[in-house]
Structure formats: C-alpha cells, structure tokens
PDB file of all heavy atoms in Angstrom:
ATOM      1  N   PHE A  88      16.733  11.285  -1.414  1.00  0.00           N
ATOM      2  CA  PHE A  88      17.226  10.017  -0.888  1.00  0.00           C
ATOM      3  C   PHE A  88      16.120   8.952  -0.812  1.00  0.00           C
ATOM      4  O   PHE A  88      16.336   7.800  -1.188  1.00  0.00           O
ATOM      5  CB  PHE A  88      17.850  10.211   0.499  1.00  0.00           C
ATOM      6  CG  PHE A  88      19.266  10.719   0.475  1.00  0.00           C
ATOM      7  CD1 PHE A  88      19.678  11.676  -0.447  1.00  0.00           C
ATOM      8  CD2 PHE A  88      20.197  10.261   1.392  1.00  0.00           C
ATOM      9  CE1 PHE A  88      20.981  12.153  -0.454  1.00  0.00           C
ATOM     10  CE2 PHE A  88      21.494  10.723   1.392  1.00  0.00           C
ATOM     11  CZ  PHE A  88      21.887  11.672   0.478  1.00  0.00           C
ATOM     12  N   GLY A  89      14.952   9.327  -0.295  1.00  0.00           N
ATOM     13  CA  GLY A  89      13.849   8.375  -0.205  1.00  0.00           C
ATOM     14  C   GLY A  89      13.436   7.841  -1.570  1.00  0.00           C
ATOM     15  O   GLY A  89      13.340   6.612  -1.756  1.00  0.00           O
ATOM     16  N   PRO A  90      13.170   8.706  -2.552  1.00  0.00           N
ATOM     17  CA  PRO A  90      12.841   8.226  -3.889  1.00  0.00           C
ATOM     18  C   PRO A  90      13.924   7.310  -4.484  1.00  0.00           C
ATOM     19  O   PRO A  90      13.608   6.356  -5.188  1.00  0.00           O
ATOM     20  CB  PRO A  90      12.691   9.523  -4.702  1.00  0.00           C
ATOM     21  CG  PRO A  90      12.286  10.545  -3.705  1.00  0.00           C
ATOM     22  CD  PRO A  90      13.018  10.174  -2.444  1.00  0.00           C
ATOM     23  N   THR A  91      15.182   7.597  -4.184  1.00  0.00           N
ATOM     24  CA  THR A  91      16.264   6.767  -4.699  1.00  0.00           C
ATOM     25  C   THR A  91      16.211   5.360  -4.104  1.00  0.00           C
ATOM     26  O   THR A  91      16.371   4.360  -4.826  1.00  0.00           O
ATOM     27  CB  THR A  91      17.624   7.423  -4.405  1.00  0.00           C
ATOM     28  OG1 THR A  91      17.679   8.687  -5.072  1.00  0.00           O
ATOM     29  CG2 THR A  91      18.779   6.558  -4.869  1.00  0.00           C
ATOM     30  N   VAL A  92      15.981   5.267  -2.814  1.00  0.00           N
ATOM     31  CA  VAL A  92      15.884   3.954  -2.170  1.00  0.00           C
ATOM     32  C   VAL A  92      14.697   3.175  -2.744  1.00  0.00           C
ATOM     33  O   VAL A  92      14.814   1.968  -3.042  1.00  0.00           O
ATOM     34  CB  VAL A  92      15.745   4.105  -0.644  1.00  0.00           C
ATOM     35  CG1 VAL A  92      15.351   2.775  -0.003  1.00  0.00           C
ATOM     36  CG2 VAL A  92      17.058   4.605  -0.047  1.00  0.00           C
ATOM     37  N   LEU A  93      13.567   3.842  -2.938  1.00  0.00           N
ATOM     38  CA  LEU A  93      12.395   3.159  -3.495  1.00  0.00           C
ATOM     39  C   LEU A  93      12.698   2.639  -4.901  1.00  0.00           C
ATOM     40  O   LEU A  93      12.332   1.504  -5.252  1.00  0.00           O
ATOM     41  CB  LEU A  93      11.199   4.100  -3.518  1.00  0.00           C
ATOM     42  CG  LEU A  93      10.649   4.518  -2.146  1.00  0.00           C
ATOM     43  CD1 LEU A  93       9.484   5.485  -2.318  1.00  0.00           C
ATOM     44  CD2 LEU A  93      10.215   3.306  -1.320  1.00  0.00           C
ATOM     45  N   GLN A  94      13.384   3.444  -5.702  1.00  0.00           N
ATOM     46  CA  GLN A  94      13.698   2.998  -7.064  1.00  0.00           C
ATOM     47  C   GLN A  94      14.661   1.813  -7.046  1.00  0.00           C
ATOM     48  O   GLN A  94      14.503   0.855  -7.815  1.00  0.00           O
ATOM     49  CB  GLN A  94      14.280   4.142  -7.881  1.00  0.00           C
ATOM     50  CG  GLN A  94      14.664   3.731  -9.298  1.00  0.00           C
ATOM     51  CD  GLN A  94      14.619   4.874 -10.284  1.00  0.00           C
ATOM     52  OE1 GLN A  94      13.560   5.407 -10.601  1.00  0.00           O
ATOM     53  NE2 GLN A  94      15.785   5.270 -10.760  1.00  0.00           N
ATOM     54  N   LEU A  95      15.651   1.838  -6.170  1.00  0.00           N
ATOM     55  CA  LEU A  95      16.580   0.711  -6.073  1.00  0.00           C
ATOM     56  C   LEU A  95      15.851  -0.565  -5.679  1.00  0.00           C
ATOM     57  O   LEU A  95      16.199  -1.665  -6.115  1.00  0.00           O
ATOM     58  CB  LEU A  95      17.680   1.011  -5.043  1.00  0.00           C
ATOM     59  CG  LEU A  95      18.726   2.055  -5.432  1.00  0.00           C
ATOM     60  CD1 LEU A  95      19.636   2.350  -4.244  1.00  0.00           C
ATOM     61  CD2 LEU A  95      19.554   1.596  -6.627  1.00  0.00           C
ATOM     62  N   ALA A  96      14.810  -0.407  -4.856  1.00  0.00           N
ATOM     63  CA  ALA A  96      14.061  -1.568  -4.377  1.00  0.00           C
ATOM     64  C   ALA A  96      12.962  -1.994  -5.342  1.00  0.00           C
ATOM     65  O   ALA A  96      12.279  -2.993  -5.102  1.00  0.00           O
ATOM     66  CB  ALA A  96      13.440  -1.248  -3.013  1.00  0.00           C
ATOM     67  N   GLY A  97      12.777  -1.256  -6.431  1.00  0.00           N
ATOM     68  CA  GLY A  97      11.747  -1.596  -7.393  1.00  0.00           C
ATOM     69  C   GLY A  97      10.354  -1.232  -6.944  1.00  0.00           C
ATOM     70  O   GLY A  97       9.360  -1.836  -7.371  1.00  0.00           O
ATOM     71  N   VAL A  98      10.254  -0.224  -6.080  1.00  0.00           N
ATOM     72  CA  VAL A  98       8.968   0.211  -5.528  1.00  0.00           C
ATOM     73  C   VAL A  98       8.572   1.524  -6.190  1.00  0.00           C
ATOM     74  O   VAL A  98       9.416   2.411  -6.389  1.00  0.00           O
ATOM     75  CB  VAL A  98       9.071   0.391  -4.002  1.00  0.00           C
ATOM     76  CG1 VAL A  98       7.772   0.925  -3.432  1.00  0.00           C
ATOM     77  CG2 VAL A  98       9.442  -0.943  -3.329  1.00  0.00           C
ATOM     78  N   ASP A  99       7.296   1.665  -6.545  1.00  0.00           N
ATOM     79  CA  ASP A  99       6.810   2.898  -7.167  1.00  0.00           C
ATOM     80  C   ASP A  99       7.012   4.089  -6.245  1.00  0.00           C
ATOM     81  O   ASP A  99       6.788   4.002  -5.026  1.00  0.00           O
ATOM     82  CB  ASP A  99       5.331   2.763  -7.529  1.00  0.00           C
ATOM     83  CG  ASP A  99       5.078   1.792  -8.664  1.00  0.00           C
ATOM     84  OD1 ASP A  99       6.028   1.533  -9.437  1.00  0.00           O
ATOM     85  OD2 ASP A  99       3.951   1.273  -8.771  1.00  0.00           O
ATOM     86  N   ILE A 100       7.384   5.218  -6.829  1.00  0.00           N
ATOM     87  CA  ILE A 100       7.625   6.444  -6.060  1.00  0.00           C
ATOM     88  C   ILE A 100       6.338   7.253  -6.014  1.00  0.00           C
ATOM     89  O   ILE A 100       5.787   7.611  -7.064  1.00  0.00           O
ATOM     90  CB  ILE A 100       8.753   7.265  -6.710  1.00  0.00           C
ATOM     91  CG1 ILE A 100      10.048   6.449  -6.731  1.00  0.00           C
ATOM     92  CG2 ILE A 100       8.970   8.578  -5.958  1.00  0.00           C
ATOM     93  CD1 ILE A 100      11.109   6.998  -7.635  1.00  0.00           C
ATOM     94  N   PRO A 101       5.839   7.570  -4.823  1.00  0.00           N
ATOM     95  CA  PRO A 101       4.599   8.352  -4.731  1.00  0.00           C
ATOM     96  C   PRO A 101       4.737   9.701  -5.413  1.00  0.00           C
ATOM     97  O   PRO A 101       5.760  10.375  -5.283  1.00  0.00           O
ATOM     98  CB  PRO A 101       4.396   8.516  -3.213  1.00  0.00           C
ATOM     99  CG  PRO A 101       5.184   7.410  -2.599  1.00  0.00           C
ATOM    100  CD  PRO A 101       6.358   7.188  -3.503  1.00  0.00           C
ATOM    101  N   LYS A 102       3.691  10.101  -6.108  1.00  0.00           N
ATOM    102  CA  LYS A 102       3.733  11.374  -6.828  1.00  0.00           C
ATOM    103  C   LYS A 102       3.761  12.556  -5.870  1.00  0.00           C
ATOM    104  O   LYS A 102       4.124  13.675  -6.264  1.00  0.00           O
ATOM    105  CB  LYS A 102       2.528  11.491  -7.765  1.00  0.00           C
ATOM    106  CG  LYS A 102       1.177  11.555  -7.093  1.00  0.00           C
ATOM    107  CD  LYS A 102       0.054  11.652  -8.119  1.00  0.00           C
ATOM    108  CE  LYS A 102      -1.323  11.893  -7.503  1.00  0.00           C
ATOM    109  NZ  LYS A 102      -1.701  10.892  -6.510  1.00  0.00           N
ATOM    110  N   GLU A 103       3.396  12.350  -4.612  1.00  0.00           N
ATOM    111  CA  GLU A 103       3.388  13.440  -3.633  1.00  0.00           C
ATOM    112  C   GLU A 103       4.788  13.853  -3.201  1.00  0.00           C
ATOM    113  O   GLU A 103       4.968  14.894  -2.570  1.00  0.00           O
ATOM    114  CB  GLU A 103       2.574  13.032  -2.390  1.00  0.00           C
ATOM    115  CG  GLU A 103       1.083  12.886  -2.627  1.00  0.00           C
ATOM    116  CD  GLU A 103       0.720  11.512  -3.186  1.00  0.00           C
ATOM    117  OE1 GLU A 103       1.643  10.670  -3.344  1.00  0.00           O
ATOM    118  OE2 GLU A 103      -0.475  11.277  -3.462  1.00  0.00           O
ATOM    119  N   MET A 104       5.796  13.031  -3.508  1.00  0.00           N
ATOM    120  CA  MET A 104       7.169  13.373  -3.113  1.00  0.00           C
ATOM    121  C   MET A 104       7.738  14.465  -4.016  1.00  0.00           C
ATOM    122  O   MET A 104       7.471  14.504  -5.211  1.00  0.00           O
ATOM    123  CB  MET A 104       8.062  12.127  -3.160  1.00  0.00           C
ATOM    124  CG  MET A 104       7.808  11.136  -2.042  1.00  0.00           C
ATOM    125  SD  MET A 104       9.024   9.787  -2.059  1.00  0.00           S
ATOM    126  CE  MET A 104       8.596   8.957  -0.520  1.00  0.00           C
ATOM    127  N   ASP A 105       8.553  15.330  -3.432  1.00  0.00           N
ATOM    128  CA  ASP A 105       9.212  16.392  -4.196  1.00  0.00           C
ATOM    129  C   ASP A 105      10.508  15.930  -4.839  1.00  0.00           C
ATOM    130  O   ASP A 105      10.929  16.468  -5.857  1.00  0.00           O
ATOM    131  CB  ASP A 105       9.524  17.580  -3.276  1.00  0.00           C
ATOM    132  CG  ASP A 105       8.284  18.234  -2.716  1.00  0.00           C
ATOM    133  OD1 ASP A 105       7.278  18.301  -3.443  1.00  0.00           O
ATOM    134  OD2 ASP A 105       8.316  18.678  -1.548  1.00  0.00           O
ATOM    135  N   GLY A 106      11.169  14.941  -4.215  1.00  0.00           N
ATOM    136  CA  GLY A 106      12.468  14.504  -4.692  1.00  0.00           C
ATOM    137  C   GLY A 106      12.378  13.543  -5.856  1.00  0.00           C
ATOM    138  O   GLY A 106      11.301  13.032  -6.190  1.00  0.00           O
ATOM    139  N   ARG A 107      13.541  13.290  -6.470  1.00  0.00           N
ATOM    140  CA  ARG A 107      13.638  12.378  -7.612  1.00  0.00           C
ATOM    141  C   ARG A 107      14.817  11.439  -7.418  1.00  0.00           C
ATOM    142  O   ARG A 107      15.820  11.822  -6.815  1.00  0.00           O
ATOM    143  CB  ARG A 107      13.790  13.177  -8.905  1.00  0.00           C
ATOM    144  CG  ARG A 107      12.560  14.005  -9.264  1.00  0.00           C
ATOM    145  CD  ARG A 107      12.794  14.842 -10.511  1.00  0.00           C
ATOM    146  NE  ARG A 107      13.714  15.943 -10.245  1.00  0.00           N
ATOM    147  CZ  ARG A 107      14.105  16.807 -11.178  1.00  0.00           C
ATOM    148  NH1 ARG A 107      13.672  16.691 -12.422  1.00  0.00           N
ATOM    149  NH2 ARG A 107      14.933  17.786 -10.873  1.00  0.00           N
ATOM    150  N   PRO A 108      14.732  10.206  -7.922  1.00  0.00           N
ATOM    151  CA  PRO A 108      15.804   9.237  -7.697  1.00  0.00           C
ATOM    152  C   PRO A 108      17.064   9.562  -8.495  1.00  0.00           C
ATOM    153  O   PRO A 108      16.989  10.058  -9.615  1.00  0.00           O
ATOM    154  CB  PRO A 108      15.186   7.923  -8.166  1.00  0.00           C
ATOM    155  CG  PRO A 108      14.162   8.330  -9.185  1.00  0.00           C
ATOM    156  CD  PRO A 108      13.616   9.636  -8.710  1.00  0.00           C
ATOM    157  N   PHE A 109      18.207   9.287  -7.902  1.00  0.00           N
ATOM    158  CA  PHE A 109      19.465   9.517  -8.613  1.00  0.00           C
ATOM    159  C   PHE A 109      20.243   8.224  -8.869  1.00  0.00           C
ATOM    160  O   PHE A 109      21.337   8.244  -9.419  1.00  0.00           O
ATOM    161  CB  PHE A 109      20.344  10.529  -7.880  1.00  0.00           C
ATOM    162  CG  PHE A 109      20.638  10.224  -6.433  1.00  0.00           C
ATOM    163  CD1 PHE A 109      21.660   9.371  -6.079  1.00  0.00           C
ATOM    164  CD2 PHE A 109      19.877  10.812  -5.424  1.00  0.00           C
ATOM    165  CE1 PHE A 109      21.941   9.099  -4.752  1.00  0.00           C
ATOM    166  CE2 PHE A 109      20.163  10.542  -4.086  1.00  0.00           C
ATOM    167  CZ  PHE A 109      21.190   9.690  -3.746  1.00  0.00           C
ATOM    168  N   LEU A 110      19.682   7.076  -8.481  1.00  0.00           N
ATOM    169  CA  LEU A 110      20.246   5.769  -8.800  1.00  0.00           C
ATOM    170  C   LEU A 110      19.106   4.807  -9.104  1.00  0.00           C
ATOM    171  O   LEU A 110      18.006   4.950  -8.559  1.00  0.00           O
ATOM    172  CB  LEU A 110      21.055   5.199  -7.623  1.00  0.00           C
ATOM    173  CG  LEU A 110      22.458   5.737  -7.364  1.00  0.00           C
ATOM    174  CD1 LEU A 110      23.030   5.062  -6.120  1.00  0.00           C
ATOM    175  CD2 LEU A 110      23.374   5.523  -8.547  1.00  0.00           C
ATOM    176  N   GLY A 111      19.363   3.788  -9.915  1.00  0.00           N
ATOM    177  CA  GLY A 111      18.353   2.773 -10.164  1.00  0.00           C
ATOM    178  C   GLY A 111      18.287   2.378 -11.624  1.00  0.00           C
ATOM    179  O   GLY A 111      18.974   2.953 -12.482  1.00  0.00           O
ATOM    180  N   LEU A 112      17.424   1.385 -11.926  1.00  0.00           N
ATOM    181  CA  LEU A 112      17.325   0.870 -13.288  1.00  0.00           C
ATOM    182  C   LEU A 112      16.779   1.893 -14.266  1.00  0.00           C
ATOM    183  O   LEU A 112      17.184   1.960 -15.417  1.00  0.00           O
ATOM    184  CB  LEU A 112      16.453  -0.389 -13.291  1.00  0.00           C
ATOM    185  CG  LEU A 112      17.107  -1.642 -12.686  1.00  0.00           C
ATOM    186  CD1 LEU A 112      16.094  -2.766 -12.593  1.00  0.00           C
ATOM    187  CD2 LEU A 112      18.307  -2.077 -13.528  1.00  0.00           C
ATOM    188  N   LYS A 113      15.817   2.695 -13.798  1.00  0.00           N
ATOM    189  CA  LYS A 113      15.276   3.731 -14.672  1.00  0.00           C
ATOM    190  C   LYS A 113      16.306   4.852 -14.812  1.00  0.00           C
ATOM    191  O   LYS A 113      17.202   4.997 -13.998  1.00  0.00           O
ATOM    192  CB  LYS A 113      13.972   4.278 -14.093  1.00  0.00           C
ATOM    193  CG  LYS A 113      12.862   3.250 -13.996  1.00  0.00           C
ATOM    194  CD  LYS A 113      11.621   3.869 -13.377  1.00  0.00           C
ATOM    195  CE  LYS A 113      10.512   2.836 -13.227  1.00  0.00           C
ATOM    196  NZ  LYS A 113       9.308   3.396 -12.574  1.00  0.00           N
ATOM    197  N   LYS A 114      16.148   5.636 -15.830  1.00  0.00           N
ATOM    198  CA  LYS A 114      17.080   6.736 -16.071  1.00  0.00           C
ATOM    199  C   LYS A 114      17.077   7.688 -14.876  1.00  0.00           C
ATOM    200  O   LYS A 114      16.034   8.185 -14.463  1.00  0.00           O
ATOM    201  CB  LYS A 114      16.687   7.493 -17.338  1.00  0.00           C
ATOM    202  CG  LYS A 114      17.667   8.599 -17.709  1.00  0.00           C
ATOM    203  CD  LYS A 114      17.250   9.304 -18.993  1.00  0.00           C
ATOM    204  CE  LYS A 114      18.226  10.418 -19.326  1.00  0.00           C
ATOM    205  NZ  LYS A 114      17.830  11.128 -20.562  1.00  0.00           N
ATOM    206  N   ALA A 115      18.232   7.917 -14.325  1.00  0.00           N
ATOM    207  CA  ALA A 115      18.354   8.820 -13.188  1.00  0.00           C
ATOM    208  C   ALA A 115      18.455  10.258 -13.676  1.00  0.00           C
ATOM    209  O   ALA A 115      19.061  10.534 -14.700  1.00  0.00           O
ATOM    210  CB  ALA A 115      19.580   8.451 -12.354  1.00  0.00           C
ATOM    211  N   TYR A 116      17.852  11.159 -12.927  1.00  0.00           N
ATOM    212  CA  TYR A 116      17.914  12.557 -13.334  1.00  0.00           C
ATOM    213  C   TYR A 116      19.275  13.148 -12.982  1.00  0.00           C
ATOM    214  O   TYR A 116      19.981  12.673 -12.113  1.00  0.00           O
ATOM    215  CB  TYR A 116      16.799  13.349 -12.645  1.00  0.00           C
ATOM    216  CG  TYR A 116      17.137  13.863 -11.270  1.00  0.00           C
ATOM    217  CD1 TYR A 116      17.503  15.203 -11.087  1.00  0.00           C
ATOM    218  CD2 TYR A 116      17.096  13.043 -10.156  1.00  0.00           C
ATOM    219  CE1 TYR A 116      17.811  15.688  -9.832  1.00  0.00           C
ATOM    220  CE2 TYR A 116      17.399  13.522  -8.892  1.00  0.00           C
ATOM    221  CZ  TYR A 116      17.756  14.848  -8.736  1.00  0.00           C
ATOM    222  OH  TYR A 116      18.077  15.320  -7.486  1.00  0.00           O
ATOM    223  N   LYS A 117      19.636  14.180 -13.686  1.00  0.00           N
ATOM    224  CA  LYS A 117      20.886  14.903 -13.403  1.00  0.00           C
ATOM    225  C   LYS A 117      20.530  16.336 -13.043  1.00  0.00           C
ATOM    226  O   LYS A 117      19.691  16.962 -13.676  1.00  0.00           O
ATOM    227  CB  LYS A 117      21.818  14.862 -14.616  1.00  0.00           C
ATOM    228  CG  LYS A 117      22.280  13.436 -14.972  1.00  0.00           C
ATOM    229  CD  LYS A 117      23.296  13.462 -16.109  1.00  0.00           C
ATOM    230  CE  LYS A 117      23.672  12.044 -16.537  1.00  0.00           C
ATOM    231  NZ  LYS A 117      24.366  11.313 -15.490  1.00  0.00           N
ATOM    232  N   GLU A 118      21.174  16.846 -12.013  1.00  0.00           N
ATOM    233  CA  GLU A 118      20.816  18.155 -11.487  1.00  0.00           C
ATOM    234  C   GLU A 118      22.096  18.901 -11.118  1.00  0.00           C
ATOM    235  O   GLU A 118      23.138  18.293 -10.862  1.00  0.00           O
ATOM    236  CB  GLU A 118      19.922  17.968 -10.246  1.00  0.00           C
ATOM    237  CG  GLU A 118      19.359  19.245  -9.669  1.00  0.00           C
ATOM    238  CD  GLU A 118      18.460  19.977 -10.636  1.00  0.00           C
ATOM    239  OE1 GLU A 118      19.002  20.744 -11.469  1.00  0.00           O
ATOM    240  OE2 GLU A 118      17.237  19.811 -10.580  1.00  0.00           O
ATOM    241  N   ASP A 119      22.020  20.230 -11.113  1.00  0.00           N
ATOM    242  CA  ASP A 119      23.181  21.010 -10.697  1.00  0.00           C
ATOM    243  C   ASP A 119      22.794  22.043  -9.651  1.00  0.00           C
ATOM    244  O   ASP A 119      23.441  23.072  -9.514  1.00  0.00           O
ATOM    245  CB  ASP A 119      23.834  21.694 -11.901  1.00  0.00           C
ATOM    246  CG  ASP A 119      22.997  22.855 -12.459  1.00  0.00           C
ATOM    247  OD1 ASP A 119      21.771  22.883 -12.202  1.00  0.00           O
ATOM    248  OD2 ASP A 119      23.568  23.726 -13.133  1.00  0.00           O
ATOM    249  N   LYS A 120      21.719  21.764  -8.899  1.00  0.00           N
ATOM    250  CA  LYS A 120      21.316  22.727  -7.877  1.00  0.00           C
ATOM    251  C   LYS A 120      20.701  22.024  -6.676  1.00  0.00           C
ATOM    252  O   LYS A 120      20.236  20.883  -6.769  1.00  0.00           O
ATOM    253  CB  LYS A 120      20.343  23.755  -8.453  1.00  0.00           C
ATOM    254  CG  LYS A 120      19.032  23.203  -8.962  1.00  0.00           C
ATOM    255  CD  LYS A 120      18.199  24.311  -9.597  1.00  0.00           C
ATOM    256  CE  LYS A 120      16.894  23.773 -10.178  1.00  0.00           C
ATOM    257  NZ  LYS A 120      16.107  24.836 -10.837  1.00  0.00           N
ATOM    258  N   ALA A 121      20.715  22.737  -5.542  1.00  0.00           N
ATOM    259  CA  ALA A 121      20.134  22.223  -4.309  1.00  0.00           C
ATOM    260  C   ALA A 121      19.634  23.393  -3.480  1.00  0.00           C
ATOM    261  O   ALA A 121      20.295  24.431  -3.379  1.00  0.00           O
ATOM    262  CB  ALA A 121      21.169  21.420  -3.512  1.00  0.00           C
ATOM    263  N   TYR A 122      18.450  23.223  -2.880  1.00  0.00           N
ATOM    264  CA  TYR A 122      17.822  24.261  -2.069  1.00  0.00           C
ATOM    265  C   TYR A 122      18.042  24.001  -0.578  1.00  0.00           C
ATOM    266  O   TYR A 122      18.158  22.851  -0.149  1.00  0.00           O
ATOM    267  CB  TYR A 122      16.322  24.316  -2.335  1.00  0.00           C
ATOM    268  CG  TYR A 122      15.946  24.647  -3.765  1.00  0.00           C
ATOM    269  CD1 TYR A 122      15.550  23.654  -4.647  1.00  0.00           C
ATOM    270  CD2 TYR A 122      16.003  25.960  -4.221  1.00  0.00           C
ATOM    271  CE1 TYR A 122      15.202  23.953  -5.956  1.00  0.00           C
ATOM    272  CE2 TYR A 122      15.663  26.275  -5.531  1.00  0.00           C
ATOM    273  CZ  TYR A 122      15.270  25.267  -6.402  1.00  0.00           C
ATOM    274  OH  TYR A 122      14.928  25.565  -7.697  1.00  0.00           O
ATOM    275  N   GLY A 123      18.065  25.078   0.190  1.00  0.00           N
ATOM    276  CA  GLY A 123      18.212  24.954   1.636  1.00  0.00           C
ATOM    277  C   GLY A 123      17.246  25.860   2.372  1.00  0.00           C
ATOM    278  O   GLY A 123      16.806  26.885   1.840  1.00  0.00           O
ATOM    279  N   TYR A 124      16.923  25.462   3.615  1.00  0.00           N
ATOM    280  CA  TYR A 124      16.005  26.275   4.425  1.00  0.00           C
ATOM    281  C   TYR A 124      16.417  26.275   5.884  1.00  0.00           C
ATOM    282  O   TYR A 124      16.887  25.274   6.422  1.00  0.00           O
ATOM    283  CB  TYR A 124      14.568  25.799   4.281  1.00  0.00           C
ATOM    284  CG  TYR A 124      14.348  24.332   4.006  1.00  0.00           C
ATOM    285  CD1 TYR A 124      14.376  23.375   5.017  1.00  0.00           C
ATOM    286  CD2 TYR A 124      14.102  23.896   2.697  1.00  0.00           C
ATOM    287  CE1 TYR A 124      14.155  22.032   4.737  1.00  0.00           C
ATOM    288  CE2 TYR A 124      13.892  22.557   2.413  1.00  0.00           C
ATOM    289  CZ  TYR A 124      13.921  21.624   3.442  1.00  0.00           C
ATOM    290  OH  TYR A 124      13.707  20.289   3.169  1.00  0.00           O
ATOM    291  N   ALA A 125      16.269  27.443   6.514  1.00  0.00           N
ATOM    292  CA  ALA A 125      16.578  27.613   7.933  1.00  0.00           C
ATOM    293  C   ALA A 125      15.513  28.505   8.550  1.00  0.00           C
ATOM    294  O   ALA A 125      15.258  29.607   8.050  1.00  0.00           O
ATOM    295  CB  ALA A 125      17.963  28.233   8.118  1.00  0.00           C
ATOM    296  N   ASP A 126      14.897  28.024   9.622  1.00  0.00           N
ATOM    297  CA  ASP A 126      13.830  28.777  10.282  1.00  0.00           C
ATOM    298  C   ASP A 126      14.144  28.909  11.776  1.00  0.00           C
ATOM    299  O   ASP A 126      15.131  29.526  12.117  1.00  0.00           O
ATOM    300  CB  ASP A 126      12.486  28.084  10.033  1.00  0.00           C
ATOM    301  CG  ASP A 126      12.079  28.171   8.571  1.00  0.00           C
ATOM    302  OD1 ASP A 126      12.502  27.312   7.764  1.00  0.00           O
ATOM    303  OD2 ASP A 126      11.352  29.110   8.218  1.00  0.00           O
ATOM    304  N   ARG A 127      13.329  28.298  12.620  1.00  0.00           N
ATOM    305  CA  ARG A 127      13.609  28.363  14.055  1.00  0.00           C
ATOM    306  C   ARG A 127      14.507  27.200  14.449  1.00  0.00           C
ATOM    307  O   ARG A 127      14.260  26.059  14.102  1.00  0.00           O
ATOM    308  CB  ARG A 127      12.302  28.322  14.863  1.00  0.00           C
ATOM    309  CG  ARG A 127      12.550  28.308  16.386  1.00  0.00           C
ATOM    310  CD  ARG A 127      11.279  28.384  17.192  1.00  0.00           C
ATOM    311  NE  ARG A 127      10.324  27.346  16.856  1.00  0.00           N
ATOM    312  CZ  ARG A 127      10.426  26.060  17.231  1.00  0.00           C
ATOM    313  NH1 ARG A 127      11.473  25.651  17.915  1.00  0.00           N
ATOM    314  NH2 ARG A 127       9.479  25.193  16.885  1.00  0.00           N
ATOM    315  N   PHE A 128      15.544  27.508  15.234  1.00  0.00           N
ATOM    316  CA  PHE A 128      16.402  26.488  15.826  1.00  0.00           C
ATOM    317  C   PHE A 128      16.287  26.618  17.336  1.00  0.00           C
ATOM    318  O   PHE A 128      16.754  27.597  17.915  1.00  0.00           O
ATOM    319  CB  PHE A 128      17.854  26.671  15.379  1.00  0.00           C
ATOM    320  CG  PHE A 128      17.993  26.529  13.886  1.00  0.00           C
ATOM    321  CD1 PHE A 128      18.020  27.652  13.063  1.00  0.00           C
ATOM    322  CD2 PHE A 128      18.040  25.269  13.303  1.00  0.00           C
ATOM    323  CE1 PHE A 128      18.123  27.509  11.695  1.00  0.00           C
ATOM    324  CE2 PHE A 128      18.132  25.130  11.923  1.00  0.00           C
ATOM    325  CZ  PHE A 128      18.173  26.251  11.113  1.00  0.00           C
ATOM    326  N   ASP A 129      15.622  25.647  17.955  1.00  0.00           N
ATOM    327  CA  ASP A 129      15.303  25.739  19.371  1.00  0.00           C
ATOM    328  C   ASP A 129      14.520  27.033  19.598  1.00  0.00           C
ATOM    329  O   ASP A 129      13.472  27.236  19.020  1.00  0.00           O
ATOM    330  CB  ASP A 129      16.558  25.651  20.236  1.00  0.00           C
ATOM    331  CG  ASP A 129      17.343  24.365  19.996  1.00  0.00           C
ATOM    332  OD1 ASP A 129      16.714  23.308  19.858  1.00  0.00           O
ATOM    333  OD2 ASP A 129      18.579  24.421  19.944  1.00  0.00           O
TER     334      ASP A 129
END
C-alpha cells in the first residue's frame, strides 16, 4: 500500500521497502500470492 501511494504521488519508492506498487503511471506488478504472520497477541 505504501509503495502504491508513493507511485501515485510521483515519489520515488525507497529500495528498503519490501512491497511493490499496484497502481500508477509505471507498469504495475501482478501477483497471485500473499504472506501472513501471527506471533504474540497481547
């Protein structure tokens, strides 16, 4: 989500981010998977 907002705003995406933009002027990536994590809750 963060990389997507930056791309819509025309702002460079930091290379340290794991995510990739899914909307914007540049070609958006297409994906068919998503990861999840659960550790301590309270």
Side-chain angles (χ1 to χ4, degrees):
F88 278 39
T91 298
V92 168
L93 293 178
Q94 178 153 293
L95 289 173
V98 176
D99 290 338
I100 300 165
K102 65 181 187 304
E103 292 84 2
M104 287 186 172
D105 296 324
R107 293 177 289 179
F109 54 84
L110 282 178
L112 287 173
K113 297 179 182 178
K114 184 179 179 181
Y116 86 101
K117 296 185 184 295
E118 186 62 275
D119 72 339
K120 62 184 177 182
Y122 298 102
Y124 30 81
D126 292 86
R127 177 175 56 75
F128 298 97
D129 302 320

